[in-house]
Amino acid sequence: MEEIFLKIEKAKNTAELEEIRILVLGKKGSLTAKFAELKNCEASVKKTLAKELNTLKMDFERALANKKEWLSMQELEEKIKQEKIDVSLFNTSNLRGASHPIMLMLDKIVGYFESMNFAVKMGPLVEDDFHNFEALNIPSYHPARDMQDTFYFKDNKLLRTHTSPVQIHTMESQKPPIRMICPGNVFRCDYDLTHTPMFHQVEGLVVEEGKDFVSFANLKFILEDFLKYIFGEVKVRFRSSFFPFTEPSAEVDMSCIFCRGKGCRVCSHTGWLEVLGCGSVDDNVFKAVGYENVSGYAFGLGVERFAMLAFNVPDLRSFFESDLRILEQFK
Ligand code: DAH
């Protein structure tokens, strides 16, 4: 047994220790064999021998455990040494991406309206004529239906040209009160300095039961508050305009954020920037979805335009060229 204890002392790793344990206490181990011999002993010797064997076994196990703990610590220390972090190494996790400026603006816009209790609705990109035009009081002779503007499929389907059809889907699927926005991409067959075939809009709709419940004053308040949230202290004016789906309709201008209304190139020296379309929902739209005795307002905006103004990006195309030198500035 002496040499076994010596072996334990000399063991270089936990695997070697395990070998020793099996050699002594395994099925065919030396001590196991001695325990087995006990039953052949005379009763007088048996008791003392058993006691001796048990003491030996306990000593052996204690020695094994002590050495094992020491070796484990040793092995852990070795492992830690090898896993030392080289802080001078180039860290690839620095190559993290960032949100696209259009998404940053979209998030900010959606964030505002969510805080004002608007639900966020989504709609299909492939629409039919009824939802994209007809129900929105855009008659078949309206120039917006021109083949120049709309991507048509066969069988009367088309890529939505605006997010307004989500108004119709929402009103078809629920009763007032409605308080929703729809952010999303839209498509028009148009490509030049200021137009891309795909761009983003946010549509808004509020409908309440009762003819006079929702007024133009409510609309004015929310849009003015919204523009100030996005652009800071700006003056806001409503200019009467025309949209088939609203009556009365208005375009919303805010004072130019670059020259503070004095007049510059961006605002074409008018001091004003046009940023939104809006109005009270036209009765024909309510008729198309079978609503009666309701009132409401709607508005729509182009996200690219908002992002260009807020982030001072002069060229619309830079949003779509994936040029990292531009995108990296939005980290
Ligand atoms: N759908 C319009 C467009 O694409 C934007 C718009 C204007 C939406 C006025 C509205 C609105 O809901 O009231 O140009």
Side-chain angles (χ1 to χ4, degrees):
M1 214 50 196
E2 279 300 307
E3 60 184 292
I4 292 286
F5 283 105
L6 213 66
K7 258 191 179 169
I8 293 180
E9 215 161 283
K10 284 189 183 154
K12 285 195 256 342
N13 50 48
T14 46
E16 255 175 56
L17 274 188
E18 178 63 6
E19 270 170 35
I20 300 170
R21 192 192 64 79
I22 292 170
L23 220 57
V24 177
L25 284 179
K27 257 190 200 155
K28 294 175 184 162
S30 51
L31 207 55
T32 314
K34 288 216 170 93
F35 273 110
E37 279 167 22
L38 270 182
K39 62 174 180 292
N40 303 327
C41 290
E42 267 178 51
S44 56
V45 211
K46 203 174 187 177
K47 207 174 168 189
T48 36
L49 191 59
K51 209 173 167 189
E52 263 173 45
L53 284 180
N54 269 325
T55 322
L56 202 57
K57 187 183 172 201
M58 266 157 61
D59 287 350
F60 170 72
E61 279 175 336
R62 195 175 309 120
L64 214 58
N66 285 346
K67 181 74 182 187
K68 193 170 178 183
E69 196 186 329
W70 190 81
L71 278 177
S72 304
M73 262 162 58
Q74 210 71 6
E75 280 165 19
L76 185 69
E77 221 161 282
E78 201 57 37
K79 198 171 159 210
I80 290 170
K81 252 189 224 156
Q82 276 168 18
E83 285 177 357
K84 201 168 68 177
I85 297 166
D86 180 355
V87 288
S88 66
L89 202 65
F90 175 63
N91 181 1
T92 47
S93 67
N94 280 342
L95 296 175
R96 280 228 321 257
S99 287
H100 190 280
I102 296 299
M103 287 302 132
L104 285 178
M105 180 47 76
L106 210 46
D107 282 350
K108 195 162 179 191
I109 294 170
V110 170
Y112 172 82
F113 286 106
E114 276 183 331
S115 78
M116 290 305 220
N117 231 0
F118 283 68
V120 179
K121 302 277 184 187
M122 297 293 176
L125 303 186
V126 177
E127 277 292 0
D128 51 38
D129 187 273
F130 177 76
H131 289 89
N132 197 79
F133 294 128
E134 198 70 47
L136 286 161
N137 196 31
I138 304 174
S140 54
Y141 50 79
H142 194 281
R145 288 188 173 211
D146 198 303
M147 290 293 283
Q148 293 295 307
D149 291 321
T150 310
F151 288 110
Y152 282 100
F153 298 108
K154 293 178 213 148
D155 63 25
N156 224 18
K157 291 271 193 307
L158 47 90
L159 284 177
R160 69 178 182 194
T161 57
H162 50 179
T163 41
S164 305
V166 183
Q167 280 189 26
I168 305 301
H169 286 295
T170 308
M171 288 191 281
E172 279 175 335
S173 65
Q174 68 184 79
K175 297 214 167 327
I178 289 173
R179 200 172 169 81
M180 69 87 158
I181 55 162
C182 167
N185 31 2
V186 301
F187 306 85
R188 287 183 201 177
C189 193
D190 209 348
Y191 189 49
D192 59 35
L193 262 179
T194 52
H195 298 88
T196 48
M198 189 282 294
F199 58 101
H200 298 78
Q201 287 189 334
V202 174
E203 180 80 16
L205 174 73
V206 170
V207 184
E208 291 276 357
E209 220 138 353
K211 270 281 168 225
D212 305 310
F213 201 87
V214 178
S215 73
F216 212 95
N218 302 141
L219 171 66
K220 276 187 79 175
F221 166 79
I222 202 109
L223 291 184
E224 209 171 312
D225 191 54
F226 163 63
L227 287 174
K228 286 183 173 154
Y229 173 78
I230 301 285
F231 294 105
E233 260 321 300
V234 285
K235 275 189 236 147
V236 177
R237 74 176 184 189
F238 287 70
R239 201 163 24 80
S240 110
S241 182
F242 172 80
F243 297 106
F245 27 88
T246 45
E247 181 61 34
S249 305
E251 269 164 315
V252 186
D253 299 339
M254 66 176 182
S255 52
C256 180
I257 50 175
F258 300 103
C259 61
R260 301 200 166 273
K262 285 195 201 77
C264 67
R265 237 174 38 140
V266 183
C267 61
S268 309
H269 303 281
T270 61
W272 294 95
L273 297 165
E274 185 191 316
V275 282
L276 279 154
C278 66
S280 298
V281 179
D282 196 294
D283 262 342
N284 284 340
V285 175
F286 286 142
K287 250 183 228 152
V289 295
Y291 273 17
E292 271 171 23
N293 192 34
V294 290
S295 52
Y297 64 74
F299 55 88
L301 64 91
V303 182
E304 275 76 2
R305 179 153 171 81
F306 268 59
M308 282 173 81
L309 294 173
F311 304 139
N312 197 4
V313 175
D315 190 339
L316 172 69
R317 290 168 301 185
S318 35
F319 289 139
F320 300 102
E321 285 171 341
S322 304
D323 185 336
L324 286 181
R325 290 169 302 178
I326 289 178
L327 297 179
E328 270 170 354
Q329 295 175 46
F330 293 93
K331 268 192 186 172

